[in-house]
Amino acid sequence: MLKVEGFDTYYGQSQALRNVSLTVAPGEVLCLLGRNGAGKTTTLKSIMGLVPPKRGRMSLGGVDLTGLPAHRIPKHGIGYVPQGRRLFAEHTVRENLEIGLMARGTGREAMERALGYFPALRERMGQRAGTLSGGEQSMLAMARALCLEPTIMILDEPTEGLMPSMIATIRDVVIRLRADDVGVLLVEQRIDAVLPVADRIAFMDHGEIKAELGIAEVRADTSILRTYLGVG
Amino acid sequence: MGFGPYLLLATLEGLVQAAVLSITAAGLSLVFGVMRVVNVAHGEFVMLGAVIAWFTASLLTGHPAMGFAAALLVSPLLVGAVAFASERVVLRRLDYNPEATIVATIGLLYILQQTVLLVYGPDARPVDPPFYYTIRFPWFGYSAYKLFVIGAAIVIMGGIWFVLQKTRAGLVMRAAQYDRETAQAFGIPVDRVSAWVFALGAMLAAIAGVLVVPIQQAHYLMGADPLLLSFIVVIIGGLGSMSGTVLAAVLVGLSDGIISMMFSPTLAKMVSTLLVALVLVFRPNGLLGKAAR
Ligand SMILES: Nc1ncnc2c1ncn2[C@@H]1O[C@H](COP(=O)(O)OP(=O)(O)OP(=O)(O)O)[C@@H](O)[C@H]1O
Ligand SMILES: [Mg+2]
């Protein structure tokens, strides 16, 4: 169980997160929705220690991770797919995956399992990541994070700019991860991208989580979406 | 001596320059690439390498090859240790802020220079080459040691390529260079990597210092030229691009060597500087550099 309590995060003087708390249980998909600049990415970066929060606590499976330097966090089993993929573009596909393996010292079997989700990558192992198609880059970003055999996967707009068929592939992977008891924290801007996979939805605005609802409540009353997202 | 042989001689001299320069500039390029730190003290690491080579050689009596071999080991280790300490004590505390580290490394430059002046004195002192052997061309004789320097540079550059491209340490360094943030999100301790890279860059400078000292003599002010030329090379080659650095070192070394011999050293420096200006105007990212992200 990933537990975040009361994150306050700043960029210099300006406060980007206000008292953000959330939990992700194993085998659960929590979606974080919000407009541009709501603070979704900042929430994920605070969890990853990349933009350390000024206040707040975090734990994973009962282990306190508060204040750990960024490079010590993945060792606890958090796989991260950053916004815009952030692949090592000049490295080969294989090297990108090897960097994923290094994070926790996982072995070849972990790479095999990650490739099992995205068999198409097998034919590209020697190719430079920057030369992959957009869809392949998304797959590689997911596979790289899966290489560390995460218990929690953190995905920042993984479907951004993808064709519908690719979006379906990513969605299927999220569903498989949930079945494998991995907890997923999924950030998206569009509600239709998450409705089929979410267990709970948290709405974010101006650095705050305004509401958190179970998927049944959202399905039952779609006017909620208008309230929090300004969309129908 | 006819024009042909004279050109051959000038080319050889240029290649020796290029050899030493490529090693020095590779260090500067590595440090800038991974840490985004412009190390103004880089030339002083060359100087320190040369001076330590002199001390080592003068402590070890016997065959000059012994002293030289010892220097090739001791110099980089000591200089690397100095660099590692400066990184931990100074650069890291500045959070690698680009402007602050420039000022800090200028400070380091003076500290190293003045310390050497105090301990070693103002004289230029020679170190014997490991072997005296002259290769006889039909038109002139040429020092075999200088050819050895060219060979050593090729081996060292090959070594750098191998480490960067084929080892785990190299993969980690390239990842940290490409994207510090994402590297950390995958468990790479970018901070610690930086300290090692800074030491490694200084060790390369020290090796260059040991290699030139039989040709050039060790002197406390000898760091200025390698610094300027390395900057020129790194800018022409493209910041952070290792293959660009090698290409530019060969270009600058050759043109500097040839023009120095055929015309004058001043004209050679002018041409190099002009080359930088042209590159900055027409290819702001350098010959093989990539657009800034
Ligand atoms: N590096 C930074 N420095 C200063 N301010 C930043 C930085 N990154 C983000 N911000 C600010 O913090 C706020 C939250 O940004 P964040 O990137 O977390 O939003 P987001 O919800 O992920 O938006 P998007 O949907 O566009 O990705 C915004 O106001 C943004 O301008
Ligand atoms: Mg974002």
Side-chain angles (χ1 to χ4, degrees):
Chain A
M1 167 94 100
L2 174 72
K3 203 165 173 179
V4 168
E5 292 170 280
F7 271 5
D8 283 335
T9 301
Y10 293 77
Y11 290 107
Q13 295 294 312
S14 84
Q15 189 167 5
L17 295 188
R18 291 164 206 281
N19 196 25
V20 167
S21 300
L22 53 86
T23 60
V24 185
E28 180 187 49
V29 180
L30 170 66
C31 291
L32 202 53
L33 289 182
R35 278 179 269 229
N36 279 320
K40 307 179 297 293
T41 297
T42 307
T43 303
L44 302 193
K45 284 191 178 177
S46 289
I47 293 172
M48 296 309 295
L50 297 170
V51 184
K54 200 171 204 170
R55 276 179 293 276
R57 307 200 63 78
M58 178 170 104
S59 64
L60 179 60
V63 180
D64 187 18
L65 306 184
T66 310
L68 277 192
H71 70 90
R72 302 263 304 271
I73 292 197
K75 294 191 174 56
H76 292 272
I78 305 185
Y80 180 42
V81 177
Q83 185 163 15
R85 335 271 187 256
R86 300 284 287 264
L87 294 172
F88 299 104
E90 291 169 13
H91 297 51
T92 62
V93 169
R94 183 187 305 282
E95 286 173 332
N96 272 275
L97 296 173
E98 278 169 357
I99 289 168
L101 296 180
M102 272 193 251
R104 278 181 102 186
T106 40
R108 292 277 143 193
E109 328 77 61
M111 188 193 287
E112 279 308 308
R113 247 191 306 273
L115 286 169
Y117 285 92
F118 305 104
L121 289 177
R122 283 187 203 279
E123 295 146 35
R124 302 263 182 248
M125 295 299 274
Q127 197 173 322
R128 280 173 25 163
T131 65
L132 297 176
S133 72
E136 289 165 336
Q137 294 199 7
S138 296
M139 293 196 270
L140 179 54
M142 297 268 284
R144 177 178 64 177
L146 288 172
C147 274
L148 56 89
E149 308 213 300
T151 53
I152 295 283
M153 271 290 265
I154 293 188
L155 310 172
D156 199 343
E157 303 200 26
T159 62
E160 199 177 14
L162 291 186
M163 301 186 309
S165 65
M166 228 10 256
I167 294 178
T169 306
I170 304 260
R171 188 197 307 142
D172 291 346
V173 172
V174 170
I175 290 168
R176 275 173 73 184
L177 286 172
R178 174 169 56 189
D180 288 344
D181 240 18
V182 175
V184 180
L185 175 51
L186 173 62
V187 162
E188 287 286 359
Q189 280 198 32
R190 294 161 53 89
I191 183 84
D192 50 352
V194 304
L195 269 181
V197 295
D199 294 310
R200 286 182 293 128
I201 298 185
F203 295 95
M204 206 169 189
D205 194 23
H206 286 98
E208 278 179 279
I209 294 187
K210 299 288 186 190
E212 203 189 294
L213 302 167
I215 191 69
E217 294 169 83
V218 178
R219 287 228 174 86
D221 181 6
T222 44
S223 67
I224 290 170
L225 303 179
R226 205 163 302 125
T227 317
Y228 293 112
L229 295 173
V231 295
Chain B
M1 192 160 39
F3 179 77
Y6 196 64
L7 187 65
L8 174 64
L9 180 60
T11 307
L12 284 174
E13 287 293 291
L15 281 175
V16 174
Q17 270 250 37
V20 178
L21 190 52
S22 61
I23 302 172
T24 316
L28 191 70
S29 169
L30 198 63
V31 167
F32 180 82
V34 175
M35 305 170 66
R36 303 281 137 182
V37 164
V38 175
N39 179 18
V40 184
H42 195 65
E44 303 318 299
F45 290 143
V46 176
M47 179 275 287
L48 205 55
V51 167
I52 294 174
W54 180 84
F55 275 114
T56 314
S58 57
L59 283 176
L60 284 176
T61 48
H63 196 278
M66 283 243 321
F68 181 82
L72 215 41
L73 203 70
V74 173
S75 257
L77 286 179
L78 284 181
V79 173
V82 169
F84 191 88
S86 344
E87 201 280 344
R88 292 286 84 173
V89 176
V90 183
L91 300 183
R92 179 197 160 110
R93 278 164 208 241
L94 299 173
D95 213 13
Y96 312 110
N97 173 295
E99 291 89 20
T101 48
I102 289 180
V103 178
T105 54
I106 292 175
L108 186 60
L109 179 157
Y110 284 115
I111 292 173
L112 293 176
Q113 210 174 71
Q114 296 305 309
T115 309
V116 168
L117 178 59
L118 278 175
V119 176
Y120 172 84
D123 306 322
R125 297 174 217 208
V127 172
D128 286 334
F131 48 83
Y132 285 100
Y133 185 77
T134 306
I135 294 179
R136 298 249 150 251
F137 289 94
W139 319 277
F140 56 83
Y142 199 70
S143 147
Y145 175 72
K146 288 186 174 177
L147 295 181
F148 164 79
V149 170
I150 297 174
I154 293 171
V155 170
I156 289 166
M157 298 313 290
I160 295 176
W161 177 86
F162 182 83
V163 169
L164 280 177
Q165 298 298 325
K166 299 288 167 196
T167 68
R168 270 174 80 94
L171 180 57
V172 165
M173 279 191 257
R174 282 184 296 134
Q177 158 159 7
Y178 190 78
D179 185 339
R180 291 178 78 86
E181 190 175 85
T182 309
Q184 290 187 69
F186 284 89
I188 295 176
V190 171
D191 239 47
R192 212 174 317 147
V193 173
S194 293
W196 286 108
V197 164
F198 197 70
L200 193 62
M203 289 171 84
L204 287 169
I207 291 174
V210 177
L211 288 175
V212 292
V213 80
I215 304 172
Q216 222 193 17
Q217 305 202 339
H219 183 247
Y220 82 107
L221 290 177
M222 72 189 284
D225 260 14
L227 177 70
L228 179 68
L229 286 172
S230 303
F231 268 122
I232 290 176
V233 161
V234 169
I235 292 169
I236 293 180
L239 291 171
S241 156
M242 201 45 88
S243 37
T245 299
V246 175
L247 177 68
V250 172
L251 275 178
V252 170
L254 270 180
S255 88
D256 198 85
I258 292 176
I259 298 172
S260 291
M261 261 196 84
M262 299 251 174
F263 304 97
S264 81
T266 315
L267 183 68
K269 294 282 178 299
M270 282 167 65
V271 169
S272 300
T273 319
L274 194 67
L275 217 56
V276 172
L278 287 176
V279 166
L280 286 179
V281 171
F282 293 106
R283 286 194 67 106
N285 294 310
L287 294 179
L288 299 184
K290 309 207 173 45
R293 260 168 292 115

